[in-house]
Amino acid sequence: MSGPKICFVIGGPGSGKGTQCEMLVQKFGVAHFSSGDLLRAEVASGSERGQNLSATMAEGKLVSMDVVIQLLREAVDKSFAEHPDKIILLDGFPREIEQATKFEEKICAATYVLSFECSQEEMTKRLLSRALTSGRVDDNIETIKKRLVTFETATAPVLEHYKAAGRLVNVSAEADKQTIFDNTCKGLGLC
Ligand code: B4P
């Protein structure tokens, strides 16, 4: 049997990764795991593993790669065992080159690498709007600025890496949600 069909979903903070992933789940029944959600769930569980995560996330920094990869490995293994045919979206992963190479070496290669491109102004506007209701420790202007820097320094090289390898599906994320979704489906060859 072949391995899981993985789709990496990359984009700046507030570029709409989670929003588009939800739309893909609704339309195609794909599996969806957000690294951010898995980390927040780990913090909420009160586990030893989750103890240091919250402070790192509130700083707008990346948490330890080993923790993220372990959480995703557990989620991917479970999903693949239960539904081997489903595409698995990994939302917010990889966020640095080492995450990409380690995952592809140790777990499996990604079938798709999807990127949402959005200006810093638009991402900041969306996150400040989400901050009104999200209650998240990282949805505030100081942390948003730091998250944007983390994206430019750590994650932009991931995009260059996959672009150079001819594996990147790049979608503009500055439009209404349905237009972005239509372009995403086209880019992935799903419609
Ligand atoms: P995430 O949880 O991934 O947070 P995000 O980047 O804000 O999410 P997203 O882009 O999905 O935004 P959304 O759709 O909600 O990461 C949080 C933190 O976790 C990181 O800073 C880091 O510390 C840690 N972390 C996560 N993954 C990690 C990893 N792999 N390694 C290490 N650390 C990691 O959209 C945002 C808002 O915009 C919403 O309110 C939405 O309604 C709105 N919106 C979406 N699309 C829109 C559109 N087209 N027009 C207008 N508004 C739109």
Side-chain angles (χ1 to χ4, degrees), residues 110-150:
T111 307
Y112 309 96
V113 183
L114 175 62
S115 154
F116 291 112
E117 196 171 18
C118 196
S119 67
Q120 297 205 351
E121 293 71 26
E122 177 65 17
M123 291 191 281
T124 303
K125 194 174 90 187
R126 289 179 190 176
L127 291 177
L128 288 176
S129 161
R130 185 174 72 182
L132 300 174
T133 54
S134 72
R136 274 175 50 166
V137 290
D138 55 353
D139 279 349
N140 61 77
I141 189 63
E142 287 313 315
T143 308
I144 290 167
K145 283 184 195 158
K146 291 179 191 164
R147 291 165 71 195
L148 290 169
V149 171
T150 301

Short mmCIF file of all heavy atoms in Angstrom, two decimals, residues 110-150:
data_model
loop_
_atom_site.label_atom_id
_atom_site.label_comp_id
_atom_site.label_asym_id
_atom_site.label_seq_id
_atom_site.Cartn_x
_atom_site.Cartn_y
_atom_site.Cartn_z
N ALA A 110 5.74 15.16 0.70
CA ALA A 110 4.44 15.80 0.47
C ALA A 110 4.06 15.63 -1.00
O ALA A 110 4.90 15.77 -1.89
CB ALA A 110 4.52 17.28 0.81
N THR A 111 2.78 15.34 -1.23
CA THR A 111 2.28 15.24 -2.60
C THR A 111 2.03 16.63 -3.16
O THR A 111 2.26 16.89 -4.34
CB THR A 111 0.96 14.43 -2.62
OG1 THR A 111 1.19 13.20 -1.96
CG2 THR A 111 0.47 14.19 -4.04
N TYR A 112 1.53 17.54 -2.30
CA TYR A 112 1.25 18.92 -2.69
C TYR A 112 1.92 19.88 -1.70
O TYR A 112 1.96 19.58 -0.50
CB TYR A 112 -0.25 19.24 -2.64
CG TYR A 112 -1.16 18.29 -3.34
CD1 TYR A 112 -1.79 17.26 -2.64
CD2 TYR A 112 -1.43 18.42 -4.70
CE1 TYR A 112 -2.66 16.38 -3.28
CE2 TYR A 112 -2.31 17.55 -5.34
CZ TYR A 112 -2.91 16.53 -4.63
OH TYR A 112 -3.78 15.67 -5.26
N VAL A 113 2.36 21.03 -2.21
CA VAL A 113 2.85 22.10 -1.33
C VAL A 113 2.10 23.37 -1.74
O VAL A 113 2.32 23.92 -2.81
CB VAL A 113 4.37 22.30 -1.47
CG1 VAL A 113 4.84 23.37 -0.49
CG2 VAL A 113 5.13 21.00 -1.23
N LEU A 114 1.18 23.78 -0.88
CA LEU A 114 0.28 24.90 -1.19
C LEU A 114 0.69 26.11 -0.38
O LEU A 114 0.94 26.01 0.83
CB LEU A 114 -1.14 24.46 -0.80
CG LEU A 114 -2.28 25.46 -0.90
CD1 LEU A 114 -2.48 25.93 -2.35
CD2 LEU A 114 -3.57 24.80 -0.39
N SER A 115 0.77 27.26 -1.06
CA SER A 115 1.16 28.49 -0.36
C SER A 115 0.13 29.59 -0.60
O SER A 115 -0.33 29.80 -1.73
CB SER A 115 2.53 28.92 -0.89
OG SER A 115 2.70 30.30 -0.75
N PHE A 116 -0.23 30.29 0.48
CA PHE A 116 -1.13 31.45 0.36
C PHE A 116 -0.32 32.72 0.54
O PHE A 116 0.32 32.92 1.57
CB PHE A 116 -2.25 31.36 1.41
CG PHE A 116 -3.21 30.26 1.13
CD1 PHE A 116 -3.29 29.15 1.97
CD2 PHE A 116 -4.01 30.29 0.01
CE1 PHE A 116 -4.16 28.11 1.71
CE2 PHE A 116 -4.89 29.25 -0.28
CZ PHE A 116 -4.96 28.16 0.57
N GLU A 117 -0.41 33.57 -0.49
CA GLU A 117 0.41 34.79 -0.49
C GLU A 117 -0.46 36.00 -0.12
O GLU A 117 -1.50 36.22 -0.75
CB GLU A 117 0.98 34.98 -1.90
CG GLU A 117 2.12 35.95 -1.96
CD GLU A 117 2.77 35.92 -3.34
OE1 GLU A 117 2.14 35.43 -4.30
OE2 GLU A 117 3.88 36.42 -3.44
N CYS A 118 -0.01 36.76 0.87
CA CYS A 118 -0.85 37.86 1.36
C CYS A 118 0.07 38.96 1.88
O CYS A 118 1.13 38.68 2.45
CB CYS A 118 -1.72 37.32 2.50
SG CYS A 118 -3.12 38.34 2.94
N SER A 119 -0.32 40.22 1.72
CA SER A 119 0.53 41.32 2.18
C SER A 119 0.49 41.41 3.71
O SER A 119 -0.48 41.00 4.36
CB SER A 119 0.05 42.65 1.59
OG SER A 119 -1.21 42.97 2.13
N GLN A 120 1.54 41.99 4.28
CA GLN A 120 1.61 42.15 5.73
C GLN A 120 0.47 43.03 6.24
O GLN A 120 -0.07 42.79 7.32
CB GLN A 120 2.96 42.76 6.13
CG GLN A 120 4.13 41.86 5.77
CD GLN A 120 5.35 42.11 6.64
OE1 GLN A 120 5.39 43.06 7.42
NE2 GLN A 120 6.34 41.26 6.52
N GLU A 121 0.12 44.05 5.45
CA GLU A 121 -0.95 44.98 5.88
C GLU A 121 -2.27 44.21 6.03
O GLU A 121 -2.99 44.36 7.01
CB GLU A 121 -1.15 46.11 4.86
CG GLU A 121 0.00 47.08 4.74
CD GLU A 121 1.24 46.48 4.06
OE1 GLU A 121 1.10 45.52 3.27
OE2 GLU A 121 2.35 46.95 4.37
N GLU A 122 -2.57 43.39 5.01
CA GLU A 122 -3.85 42.65 5.03
C GLU A 122 -3.85 41.61 6.16
O GLU A 122 -4.84 41.45 6.88
CB GLU A 122 -4.06 41.98 3.66
CG GLU A 122 -5.31 41.11 3.55
CD GLU A 122 -6.63 41.86 3.68
OE1 GLU A 122 -6.64 43.10 3.54
OE2 GLU A 122 -7.67 41.21 3.95
N MET A 123 -2.72 40.91 6.35
CA MET A 123 -2.67 39.90 7.41
C MET A 123 -2.85 40.56 8.78
O MET A 123 -3.59 40.05 9.64
CB MET A 123 -1.34 39.13 7.35
CG MET A 123 -1.24 38.23 6.13
SD MET A 123 0.16 37.08 6.18
CE MET A 123 1.53 38.10 5.73
N THR A 124 -2.20 41.71 8.96
CA THR A 124 -2.31 42.41 10.25
C THR A 124 -3.76 42.82 10.49
O THR A 124 -4.30 42.65 11.59
CB THR A 124 -1.39 43.64 10.25
OG1 THR A 124 -0.06 43.21 9.98
CG2 THR A 124 -1.43 44.36 11.58
N LYS A 125 -4.39 43.35 9.45
CA LYS A 125 -5.79 43.79 9.58
C LYS A 125 -6.69 42.62 10.00
O LYS A 125 -7.50 42.71 10.91
CB LYS A 125 -6.24 44.37 8.23
CG LYS A 125 -7.51 45.16 8.28
CD LYS A 125 -7.81 45.81 6.94
CE LYS A 125 -8.64 44.88 6.10
NZ LYS A 125 -8.86 45.28 4.73
N ARG A 126 -6.51 41.46 9.34
CA ARG A 126 -7.35 40.30 9.64
C ARG A 126 -7.13 39.80 11.07
O ARG A 126 -8.07 39.44 11.77
CB ARG A 126 -7.03 39.16 8.67
CG ARG A 126 -7.50 39.42 7.26
CD ARG A 126 -7.10 38.24 6.39
NE ARG A 126 -7.30 38.53 4.98
CZ ARG A 126 -6.97 37.70 4.01
NH1 ARG A 126 -6.42 36.54 4.28
NH2 ARG A 126 -7.18 38.05 2.75
N LEU A 127 -5.86 39.77 11.48
CA LEU A 127 -5.57 39.23 12.82
C LEU A 127 -6.08 40.16 13.91
O LEU A 127 -6.58 39.70 14.94
CB LEU A 127 -4.07 38.98 12.98
CG LEU A 127 -3.52 37.83 12.12
CD1 LEU A 127 -2.01 37.71 12.30
CD2 LEU A 127 -4.18 36.50 12.47
N LEU A 128 -6.00 41.46 13.66
CA LEU A 128 -6.52 42.40 14.66
C LEU A 128 -8.04 42.27 14.75
O LEU A 128 -8.62 42.40 15.83
CB LEU A 128 -6.09 43.83 14.33
CG LEU A 128 -4.60 44.11 14.57
CD1 LEU A 128 -4.23 45.52 14.11
CD2 LEU A 128 -4.22 43.90 16.04
N SER A 129 -8.64 41.96 13.63
CA SER A 129 -10.09 41.77 13.64
C SER A 129 -10.43 40.46 14.38
O SER A 129 -11.33 40.41 15.23
CB SER A 129 -10.58 41.79 12.19
OG SER A 129 -11.81 41.22 12.08
N ARG A 130 -9.65 39.40 14.10
CA ARG A 130 -9.88 38.13 14.80
C ARG A 130 -9.64 38.27 16.30
O ARG A 130 -10.28 37.61 17.11
CB ARG A 130 -8.95 37.05 14.21
CG ARG A 130 -9.22 35.67 14.79
CD ARG A 130 -8.42 34.58 14.11
NE ARG A 130 -7.01 34.65 14.46
CZ ARG A 130 -6.07 33.85 13.96
NH1 ARG A 130 -6.40 32.93 13.08
NH2 ARG A 130 -4.81 33.96 14.33
N ALA A 131 -8.70 39.17 16.66
CA ALA A 131 -8.34 39.36 18.08
C ALA A 131 -9.54 39.78 18.92
O ALA A 131 -9.59 39.51 20.13
CB ALA A 131 -7.25 40.41 18.20
N LEU A 132 -10.53 40.41 18.28
CA LEU A 132 -11.69 40.89 19.04
C LEU A 132 -12.44 39.73 19.68
O LEU A 132 -13.10 39.90 20.71
CB LEU A 132 -12.63 41.68 18.11
CG LEU A 132 -12.02 42.92 17.45
CD1 LEU A 132 -12.99 43.54 16.46
CD2 LEU A 132 -11.60 43.94 18.51
N THR A 133 -12.34 38.53 19.08
CA THR A 133 -13.10 37.39 19.62
C THR A 133 -12.27 36.13 19.89
O THR A 133 -12.74 35.22 20.54
CB THR A 133 -14.22 36.97 18.62
OG1 THR A 133 -13.61 36.74 17.34
CG2 THR A 133 -15.29 38.03 18.50
N SER A 134 -11.02 36.05 19.41
CA SER A 134 -10.31 34.75 19.45
C SER A 134 -9.81 34.38 20.84
O SER A 134 -9.69 33.19 21.16
CB SER A 134 -9.12 34.76 18.49
OG SER A 134 -8.07 35.59 18.99
N GLY A 135 -9.45 35.37 21.65
CA GLY A 135 -8.87 35.06 22.97
C GLY A 135 -7.49 34.43 22.87
O GLY A 135 -6.98 33.88 23.85
N ARG A 136 -6.86 34.49 21.70
CA ARG A 136 -5.55 33.84 21.53
C ARG A 136 -4.42 34.71 22.07
O ARG A 136 -4.43 35.93 21.89
CB ARG A 136 -5.31 33.53 20.04
CG ARG A 136 -5.92 32.21 19.64
CD ARG A 136 -5.81 31.91 18.18
NE ARG A 136 -4.47 32.07 17.62
CZ ARG A 136 -4.12 31.61 16.43
NH1 ARG A 136 -4.99 30.93 15.70
NH2 ARG A 136 -2.91 31.82 15.97
N VAL A 137 -3.41 34.06 22.67
CA VAL A 137 -2.32 34.82 23.29
C VAL A 137 -1.47 35.54 22.24
O VAL A 137 -0.73 36.46 22.57
CB VAL A 137 -1.38 33.91 24.13
CG1 VAL A 137 -2.06 33.41 25.37
CG2 VAL A 137 -0.82 32.75 23.30
N ASP A 138 -1.59 35.12 20.96
CA ASP A 138 -0.72 35.71 19.93
C ASP A 138 -1.46 36.66 19.00
O ASP A 138 -0.89 37.17 18.06
CB ASP A 138 -0.01 34.62 19.13
CG ASP A 138 -0.97 33.59 18.52
OD1 ASP A 138 -2.18 33.65 18.82
OD2 ASP A 138 -0.49 32.75 17.74
N ASP A 139 -2.75 36.92 19.25
CA ASP A 139 -3.49 37.87 18.41
C ASP A 139 -3.48 39.26 19.06
O ASP A 139 -4.50 39.75 19.55
CB ASP A 139 -4.95 37.38 18.21
CG ASP A 139 -5.07 36.33 17.11
OD1 ASP A 139 -4.09 36.11 16.38
OD2 ASP A 139 -6.15 35.73 16.99
N ASN A 140 -2.30 39.88 19.10
CA ASN A 140 -2.19 41.27 19.56
C ASN A 140 -1.08 41.90 18.74
O ASN A 140 -0.23 41.19 18.19
CB ASN A 140 -1.88 41.32 21.06
CG ASN A 140 -0.57 40.64 21.37
OD1 ASN A 140 0.50 41.18 21.13
ND2 ASN A 140 -0.62 39.41 21.86
N ILE A 141 -1.09 43.23 18.65
CA ILE A 141 -0.23 43.89 17.66
C ILE A 141 1.26 43.59 17.87
O ILE A 141 2.00 43.36 16.91
CB ILE A 141 -0.52 45.42 17.57
CG1 ILE A 141 0.23 46.05 16.39
CG2 ILE A 141 -0.20 46.13 18.86
CD1 ILE A 141 -0.18 45.55 15.03
N GLU A 142 1.70 43.52 19.13
CA GLU A 142 3.13 43.28 19.36
C GLU A 142 3.53 41.88 18.87
O GLU A 142 4.55 41.72 18.21
CB GLU A 142 3.46 43.42 20.86
CG GLU A 142 3.46 44.87 21.35
CD GLU A 142 4.22 45.82 20.41
OE1 GLU A 142 5.32 45.45 19.99
OE2 GLU A 142 3.71 46.90 20.09
N THR A 143 2.71 40.89 19.21
CA THR A 143 3.04 39.51 18.79
C THR A 143 2.85 39.35 17.28
O THR A 143 3.63 38.64 16.64
CB THR A 143 2.17 38.48 19.56
OG1 THR A 143 2.28 38.76 20.94
CG2 THR A 143 2.65 37.07 19.30
N ILE A 144 1.86 40.02 16.72
CA ILE A 144 1.65 39.91 15.27
C ILE A 144 2.90 40.39 14.53
O ILE A 144 3.38 39.74 13.59
CB ILE A 144 0.40 40.72 14.84
CG1 ILE A 144 -0.87 40.04 15.36
CG2 ILE A 144 0.34 40.87 13.32
CD1 ILE A 144 -2.13 40.89 15.26
N LYS A 145 3.47 41.51 15.00
CA LYS A 145 4.70 42.03 14.35
C LYS A 145 5.81 40.98 14.41
O LYS A 145 6.52 40.75 13.44
CB LYS A 145 5.18 43.31 15.06
CG LYS A 145 4.36 44.54 14.71
CD LYS A 145 4.99 45.76 15.39
CE LYS A 145 4.03 46.93 15.38
NZ LYS A 145 4.33 47.91 16.43
N LYS A 146 5.94 40.33 15.56
CA LYS A 146 6.99 39.30 15.71
C LYS A 146 6.70 38.09 14.82
O LYS A 146 7.60 37.49 14.25
CB LYS A 146 7.10 38.86 17.17
CG LYS A 146 7.64 39.94 18.08
CD LYS A 146 7.70 39.45 19.51
CE LYS A 146 7.99 40.59 20.47
NZ LYS A 146 7.69 40.24 21.86
N ARG A 147 5.42 37.71 14.72
CA ARG A 147 5.07 36.56 13.88
C ARG A 147 5.37 36.85 12.41
O ARG A 147 5.77 35.95 11.67
CB ARG A 147 3.58 36.23 14.06
CG ARG A 147 3.27 35.67 15.44
CD ARG A 147 1.80 35.69 15.74
NE ARG A 147 1.05 34.72 14.97
CZ ARG A 147 -0.27 34.74 14.85
NH1 ARG A 147 -0.98 35.67 15.44
NH2 ARG A 147 -0.88 33.82 14.14
N LEU A 148 5.16 38.10 12.00
CA LEU A 148 5.47 38.46 10.61
C LEU A 148 6.98 38.34 10.35
O LEU A 148 7.40 37.86 9.30
CB LEU A 148 4.96 39.87 10.29
CG LEU A 148 3.43 39.99 10.22
CD1 LEU A 148 3.01 41.46 10.18
CD2 LEU A 148 2.88 39.25 9.00
N VAL A 149 7.78 38.76 11.33
CA VAL A 149 9.24 38.65 11.19
C VAL A 149 9.64 37.17 11.13
O VAL A 149 10.45 36.75 10.29
CB VAL A 149 9.97 39.36 12.36
CG1 VAL A 149 11.46 39.06 12.34
CG2 VAL A 149 9.71 40.86 12.31
N THR A 150 9.03 36.36 12.00
CA THR A 150 9.33 34.91 11.99
C THR A 150 8.99 34.32 10.62
O THR A 150 9.75 33.51 10.07
CB THR A 150 8.51 34.18 13.09
OG1 THR A 150 8.84 34.75 14.36
CG2 THR A 150 8.80 32.70 13.10
#
